[in-house]
Every structure is written in C-alpha cells, then in structure tokens.
Amino acid sequence: MQWIEHEKAIRARHTEPPAPVPPAALAQRSGLDLLKSVMLGELPAPPISHTLDFFLIEVEPGRVVFQGHPRAAFYNPIGSVHGGWTSTLLDSCVACAVHSMLPAGKGYTTVELKVNFVRAVMPDTGPLRAEGKVISVGSRIGTAEGRLMDASGKLYAHATTTCLIFDISDMKRDKRSD
Amino acid sequence: MQWIEHEKAIRARHTEPPAPVPPAALAQRSGLDLLKSVMLGELPAPPISHTLDFFLIEVEPGRVVFQGHPRAAFYNPIGSVHGGWTSTLLDSCVACAVHSMLPAGKGYTTVELKVNFVRAVMPDTGPLRAEGKVISVGSRIGTAEGRLMDASGKLYAHATTTCLIFDISDMKRDKRSD
Amino acid sequence: MQWIEHEKAIRARHTEPPAPVPPAALAQRSGLDLLKSVMLGELPAPPISHTLDFFLIEVEPGRVVFQGHPRAAFYNPIGSVHGGWTSTLLDSCVACAVHSMLPAGKGYTTVELKVNFVRAVMPDTGPLRAEGKVISVGSRIGTAEGRLMDASGKLYAHATTTCLIFDISDMKRDKRSD
Amino acid sequence: MQWIEHEKAIRARHTEPPAPVPPAALAQRSGLDLLKSVMLGELPAPPISHTLDFFLIEVEPGRVVFQGHPRAAFYNPIGSVHGGWTSTLLDSCVACAVHSMLPAGKGYTTVELKVNFVRAVMPDTGPLRAEGKVISVGSRIGTAEGRLMDASGKLYAHATTTCLIFDISDMKRDKRSD
C-alpha cells in the first residue's frame, strides 16, 4: 500500500528520539521551514506522535497532512478508537496548517478546536490521513479546517480550529499562561 | 496531596489489564451503573486511559470526573502538552456525563466536541481534573459541558459536546458506521 | 452588478407575502424540490428572510446559496453588522445544504451551529453570499459547512453545522420539543 | 408577568432612536459602565435589538442578560423561530459578558460562536432570557457561555463564544478587517 511506503520512508529519516523542537529553532524559522525540517528528520518528531502513532507526512503552504494508525491501545470503553485520538490528529493538522503560513518571528497557540465525528474508527479501519487546510490567516487570528479519511476517501471526522497569532518577542514578556 | 491519594485508592482496585467493556454489559446496564463498575474495577478500564494516563475518579447522575497526569510523552512540538491530550480528557468527561443519564438499553455516540484551550498544560502543571456536567438530555440528543482544572481551581480548558442517543436494539440493524 | 440582477429576477417571482411552508408540503416533498419551489416563488419565502433582508438564490443537491444585504437596522452597539445577522445567513445556508440531500418523508432539525467571524461586516460591504455545502449525510446525522463572501471573494465568516435527521412520521409522535 | 414589567421599565427610559454607541464612548469607558449606560437609556440601544425585538435587562461584572420576544416575523420556512434569532440573542449575551470585564481602553471582537439548539422556539413560547456568563478572561482572549431559557427555567439553546481582546489604541493602526 502506497500510504504505508510513503510513511516508512519518512520515518526512516528520524534517527533521534522524539522531543520538542528547540526554542531557538521555533523563534528563528518560518512555520513552513520548521514543519518541513520535522518531517525530514532534521528536527525531532514530537513525543505525542510516538505515543499516539501518527506522523507528519506532507507539508506545503497552508496544507499539512498527518498519517496515523488506530491501535487497540487507543480504545475507549465501547470498543472503538477514542475520540481523543481522532481529535489529536485533527488538532495537529489544522494547527500546523495555520503554522505553515507564519513567517519567522511569529508564533501561534490554538484557542479552540471543534471536531465532528462522522464514523467510528475501528481496529480494522487501517491507516487514516488527517489533512488540514487554512481557511483564513490575519495578523492576529488564523482559522483552518481538517478532514480525517481512509485510503478510499471515506470520511471519519472533520474539524475546524481558531489560532491566536502573536510576535514571539511579545510572548516572552506577556505569557498567556498567567 | 489528596487528589493523588484518591486516585491511588481507585487504581488499586483495577487488577485486570485495560480493555473495552464487554458488549453484553453495555447493552444490559444503565450508564451510571456501568461507569461506577468501571471506576470500582469490576469492569476493566479502557485502554486509552492507560496510554494517556487518566482515570475515572467520580461518577454521579449527570456528573463525571477524570483525573490525568501531563507527561513528557504527550508533548507537542512546542514543548507543552498536546491539545489532543486535553481534548481526550474533556471528551471523556462530557460524553460520560451524558452516558450517566441513560437507562439500560440506550446507547450514545459523540457527534461533536468543541474545546477551548485557556492555558498551556506544562510538565510541572501537576494532576488535572476534567469535570463533565450534563446540560440537556432529550430522547435523541444529549449535551454536556466540561472543565479541566488543577488542584487550585485554575482553568486550563473547557468544552461542550453533542451526543446522539439511540436504542441499542436499533443500533444493531442500523449501524451509523456505514 | 450581476449579483443584484440575479436576486432581482428571483424576488420578482415572489408575489405572496412571506410565510412558513405549509406542513403538508414539508412532509410530501424532497428537500431539493421544496427549496427550489421556495426559490422560484411557488412557495412563500420565510418571514425571517424579509426581516433580515436575505434571499435564497441557488439550490442544487448538497449546495445552497443565500444573498443578503447588510443594513443599518442590523447594527450592533459598536457600529458594525451584528454577528447574529451573519449567523442567520450561515445557519440558513448550511441547514438547507443538508435539507437539499433529504428525500421526501425525511425531516431535519439543526442541533448545533459554529460560526467563525473573520472580518467586520460594515455598511459599505455590499451584498454578501452565504454558500453552504454538505460535508456528510448519514441516516441520522448530517453536517455541512458554509462561507460568507462578497462579490470579490473576500471571506467575512465561515461556519459548520450538525443536523439531526428523522422520519417525519416518527416526529409526530416523538416531538423533540418536549 | 414580572419579566414583562421589568423590561417595560427599562424600555421606557429609551427615548432616543436605536443607534450604535458613539466611538468616543466606546474608547473612554469600561465595558461595564458602557453596558449599564445602554441599559439605562443614557446611550442608545443598538438597531439590531429593535429589528429582532430583544433588550438588555441586566448587567453586572461577568454576567449579562437580554430578554427577547419570538415573533412571526422571525419564522423560518418550517414554522418555528429561525435559529438565527436564537443565535443573535446568545451572541449578544456572551459577547457582552466578556465586554463587562474589560477596563476602559480595551476593546473586543467576537472570533467565534457555538450554539446548541435544544428545543424549537415557537410563537407561543413567550419571552425568553439569554444569560451570558464569563468563563475566562485573559489579556488577549475571553470566553463565555450562555443559556436561553423561558420564565419556567426551560432551556431552549446554549452557547459558548471566544472573543479577541485588544487595546483600542492598537486597533486604530492595525485593523483586523484588512
């Protein structure tokens, strides 16, 4: 299956253990540049992608794709994959779609995420792709939409997000976390 | 810390490995009864709660609380806990709040989830509680709201959900997944 | 301007005062058929479209367009058009996009609507079009997305919706409103 | 009925025709002060409140209530009040709840609104109250929740919102609308 081969080639480039991106890289590079470096293994993959088994496989301006694998370890009590797994993939693709539009010096944080669950994700569903596309990017707010699909194009979930965009230099003295 | 002791006592009752609830139990018991049995270790905890380190710790009609632990394994690329982890806890508490109101013979599926991220969840944030409360339960639709807070009451995220309610007997011949 | 001419031709067909569609018509006709009849003036336009000055101007399976005119009568306290006007147009286009996919005998009700406001709608914004497109229609749930744009393609707002689909015959004995 | 008397007393104070608040008042006064002045008729009521027949009737820090009257002029094609009317009242109460927390010099704009429709609003529903309450207000983002209820406490719809908060002085040179 072509999807599997594509992911395998990307994963093979990742020789470092998963880790966050070094803060200096975050501040100095454009979103597109940064995301490409993560995809190509020049920067580490994030820990969550290892824990929930999904991987960044396509990046272009305003569009990002992750591929993930439903596992028994992600089951909810009723025997399908937990909506949190679906939400994680969709959150990743929509936030990164916004990020891919930001120049160096700009950061973002996800303000809200809205997910619609269309179909149960089951053990035999096979690999799924979460494709995020920018809808709008302004100076302070960016929005994007995402879809989670299988290789036949069947839709499992869709989402939208709103991100807050800021100057990384402002962020240091005005932390949103307080 | 009281939160930790409370969780430890609940976890000690779980001697079985994580697994979905057996389908017969799902069909024959009320939501409240089922959730209590999961909490008390009479039924297994779901696999996702092991993978993402969160646990059901309180259940009453219309209100459910999960407790979770931010870990380095859940980090996103920018060095905070991925919004997908936050979404997983909130999805769990709001869906279970609706479930806790359903009599035996009724099932539900989450149709949509909306999460607002208020503050970054960081390594030193400590345990968080996701509290879900029902807003409205009708014959076909249930809604609930949830909040993710630390032990001091600081808010990290909040959510709402919409669930579809159905007769489990109907579900068998009319699967939403097709 | 072409948009204005198109709307004028449609409005000219409406000789009856605005009114809800007769219940018998709702039960016996497909959504597509019904919406076309409203557009063509064979059935009355709804009262809200008169009050908030917007009109159904395009209908095809899974896609519906309304055209509306920002007026001073719709201003909020801060001197731009109230988000409720924007929400009304977007709610209309996404709900009707779902409706356009339903066969005779099926009804729907909007369960939830999510709107993102991208740009202020001002007095001199000119006519806007709200275009709704179906994302997914199953046996019980339908979802759609909508965009509000001006004649140059500039985006003012976007939305998604979730609708509950039911048999009109069931609705009579099982009213959601109780 | 007490609700009607209360509204009548407030409306009696409004001797000026509906109009937006003068920009100077917007810039120089706190949100709470401004909203109280609108309620007390010292500043005009907004045009939309006249068009859709709803009125600001309670204001305190973090909590705002509007009262509205379902009318035949707000009907959708299927003979109940259009969800856009419901959305307008809920948008108003949640946005003003955020506004009521802002000091002079701070402005806000609504970034997104999410509405759940629980029950049909019908001609004989009687007056409804939309109560908005702040959930969280930070330096750049505010969130609030709202509920639409009748005099018996029956719930018709509920909502959440996300607002962007900014310095009014910044807004002048960095308009979000471009």
Side-chain angles (χ1 to χ4, degrees):
Chain A
M1 185 185 177
Q2 207 185 338
W3 279 22
I4 301 291
E5 292 308 310
H6 181 71
E7 184 182 338
K8 197 179 285 183
I10 287 177
R11 281 185 184 260
R13 304 182 67 119
H14 282 262
T15 53
E16 299 291 323
V21 169
L26 279 177
Q28 290 158 9
R29 302 169 68 171
S30 74
L32 185 66
D33 187 30
L34 200 79
L35 288 163
K36 280 185 178 166
S37 290
V38 169
M39 185 175 74
L40 298 176
E42 298 159 8
L43 287 170
I48 188 75
S49 76
H50 181 76
T51 303
L52 292 181
D53 200 2
F54 66 102
F55 227 77
L56 175 59
I57 59 161
E58 287 185 42
V59 185
E60 61 186 288
R63 181 178 168 277
V64 170
V65 182
F66 287 84
Q67 184 163 304
H69 303 271
R71 302 279 181 219
F74 313 147
Y75 276 10
N76 61 24
I78 57 176
S80 56
V81 169
H82 194 284
W85 184 81
T86 299
S87 299
T88 302
L89 267 73
L90 285 167
D91 183 28
S92 297
C93 77
V94 291
C96 290
V98 171
H99 194 188
S100 75
M101 300 297 283
L102 302 184
K106 289 279 183 185
Y108 78 96
T109 185
T110 300
V111 172
E112 61 91 26
L113 175 73
K114 159 83 161 70
V115 181
N116 269 260
F117 304 97
V118 172
R119 255 187 195 84
V121 175
M122 303 299 286
D124 57 351
T125 299
L128 295 174
R129 286 193 172 178
E131 179 187 39
K133 287 181 185 170
V134 155
I135 299 174
S136 167
V137 179
S139 60
R140 289 175 293 176
I141 295 288
T143 63
E145 64 189 351
R147 304 211 175 183
L148 185 71
M149 285 171 295
D150 69 15
S152 75
K154 202 183 275 191
L155 183 70
Y156 288 78
H158 54 91
T160 60
T161 199
T162 306
C163 296
L164 179 69
I165 299 167
F166 50 82
D167 291 335
I168 289 177
S169 54
D170 287 354
M171 195 56 178
K172 283 170 187 161
R173 56 168 203 271
D174 165 36
K175 294 215 304 178
R176 190 169 163 241
S177 46
D178 289 286
Chain B
M1 186 186 179
Q2 206 184 339
W3 278 23
I4 300 292
E5 292 308 310
H6 181 71
E7 184 181 340
K8 197 178 284 181
I10 287 176
R11 281 186 184 260
R13 304 181 67 117
H14 282 263
T15 54
E16 299 291 322
V21 170
L26 279 177
Q28 291 158 9
R29 301 169 67 172
S30 74
L32 185 66
D33 187 29
L34 201 79
L35 289 164
K36 279 185 179 168
S37 290
V38 169
M39 185 175 74
L40 298 176
E42 298 159 9
L43 288 169
I48 188 76
S49 76
H50 181 76
T51 303
L52 291 181
D53 200 1
F54 67 102
F55 226 76
L56 175 59
I57 58 160
E58 288 185 40
V59 185
E60 59 187 291
R63 181 177 168 277
V64 171
V65 182
F66 287 85
Q67 184 164 304
H69 303 271
R71 303 278 181 218
F74 313 147
Y75 276 11
N76 61 24
I78 58 176
S80 55
V81 168
H82 195 286
W85 184 82
T86 298
S87 300
T88 302
L89 266 73
L90 284 167
D91 184 27
S92 296
C93 77
V94 291
C96 290
V98 171
H99 194 188
S100 75
M101 299 296 285
L102 301 183
K106 289 280 183 183
Y108 78 96
T109 185
T110 299
V111 172
E112 62 89 27
L113 175 74
K114 159 84 162 68
V115 181
N116 269 261
F117 304 96
V118 172
R119 256 188 193 83
V121 176
M122 303 299 287
D124 56 352
T125 299
L128 295 174
R129 286 193 172 178
E131 178 187 39
K133 287 182 186 170
V134 155
I135 299 175
S136 167
V137 178
S139 59
R140 290 174 295 177
I141 296 288
T143 63
E145 64 189 351
R147 303 210 174 182
L148 186 71
M149 285 171 295
D150 68 15
S152 74
K154 203 183 272 189
L155 183 71
Y156 288 79
H158 54 92
T160 60
T161 199
T162 306
C163 297
L164 179 69
I165 298 167
F166 50 80
D167 292 335
I168 289 177
S169 55
D170 286 355
M171 195 56 177
K172 283 169 187 161
R173 56 168 205 272
D174 167 35
K175 294 214 306 177
R176 189 166 165 243
S177 47
D178 287 287
Chain C
M1 185 186 180
Q2 206 184 337
W3 279 22
I4 300 291
E5 292 309 310
H6 181 70
E7 184 182 338
K8 198 179 283 183
I10 287 176
R11 280 184 184 262
R13 304 181 68 120
H14 283 262
T15 54
E16 300 291 323
V21 170
L26 279 177
Q28 290 158 11
R29 301 169 67 171
S30 74
L32 185 65
D33 187 29
L34 201 79
L35 289 163
K36 279 185 178 165
S37 290
V38 170
M39 185 176 73
L40 298 175
E42 299 159 8
L43 287 169
I48 188 75
S49 75
H50 181 76
T51 303
L52 292 180
D53 200 1
F54 67 102
F55 226 77
L56 175 59
I57 59 161
E58 288 185 41
V59 185
E60 60 186 290
R63 181 178 168 276
V64 170
V65 182
F66 287 85
Q67 184 163 305
H69 304 271
R71 303 279 182 218
F74 313 148
Y75 277 12
N76 61 25
I78 57 175
S80 55
V81 169
H82 195 285
W85 184 81
T86 298
S87 300
T88 302
L89 268 74
L90 284 167
D91 183 27
S92 296
C93 77
V94 291
C96 290
V98 171
H99 195 187
S100 75
M101 301 295 285
L102 301 184
K106 290 279 184 185
Y108 78 95
T109 185
T110 299
V111 172
E112 61 91 27
L113 175 73
K114 159 84 163 67
V115 181
N116 269 262
F117 304 96
V118 172
R119 257 189 193 82
V121 175
M122 303 298 287
D124 57 351
T125 299
L128 294 174
R129 286 195 171 177
E131 179 187 39
K133 287 182 186 170
V134 155
I135 299 174
S136 167
V137 179
S139 59
R140 290 174 294 176
I141 296 289
T143 63
E145 65 190 350
R147 304 212 175 183
L148 185 71
M149 285 172 294
D150 68 16
S152 75
K154 203 183 274 189
L155 183 70
Y156 288 78
H158 54 90
T160 60
T161 199
T162 306
C163 296
L164 179 70
I165 298 167
F166 50 81
D167 292 335
I168 290 176
S169 54
D170 287 353
M171 194 55 177
K172 282 168 190 164
R173 57 168 204 271
D174 166 36
K175 294 214 306 176
R176 191 170 161 241
S177 47
D178 287 286
Chain D
M1 186 186 177
Q2 206 185 339
W3 279 23
I4 301 291
E5 293 308 310
H6 181 71
E7 184 181 341
K8 197 178 285 182
I10 287 176
R11 282 184 183 260
R13 305 181 67 118
H14 282 262
T15 54
E16 299 291 323
V21 170
L26 279 177
Q28 291 157 8
R29 300 169 68 172
S30 74
L32 185 66
D33 187 30
L34 201 79
L35 289 163
K36 279 185 179 167
S37 291
V38 169
M39 186 176 73
L40 298 176
E42 298 159 7
L43 288 169
I48 188 75
S49 75
H50 181 76
T51 303
L52 291 180
D53 200 2
F54 66 102
F55 225 77
L56 175 58
I57 59 160
E58 288 186 40
V59 185
E60 60 186 290
R63 181 177 168 277
V64 171
V65 182
F66 287 84
Q67 184 164 304
H69 303 271
R71 303 276 181 222
F74 313 147
Y75 276 12
N76 62 25
I78 56 176
S80 55
V81 168
H82 195 285
W85 184 81
T86 298
S87 300
T88 302
L89 267 73
L90 283 167
D91 184 27
S92 296
C93 76
V94 290
C96 290
V98 171
H99 194 187
S100 75
M101 300 295 285
L102 302 184
K106 290 280 182 182
Y108 78 96
T109 185
T110 299
V111 172
E112 61 89 27
L113 175 74
K114 158 84 162 68
V115 181
N116 269 262
F117 304 97
V118 172
R119 256 188 194 84
V121 175
M122 303 298 286
D124 57 352
T125 299
L128 294 174
R129 287 194 170 176
E131 178 187 40
K133 287 181 185 171
V134 156
I135 298 175
S136 167
V137 178
S139 59
R140 289 174 294 178
I141 296 289
T143 62
E145 64 189 351
R147 303 208 176 184
L148 186 71
M149 286 170 295
D150 68 15
S152 75
K154 205 183 270 190
L155 183 70
Y156 288 79
H158 54 91
T160 60
T161 199
T162 305
C163 296
L164 179 68
I165 298 167
F166 50 81
D167 292 335
I168 290 177
S169 54
D170 286 354
M171 195 55 178
K172 284 170 186 162
R173 58 169 203 270
D174 166 37
K175 294 214 306 174
R176 191 171 161 239
S177 46
D178 287 286

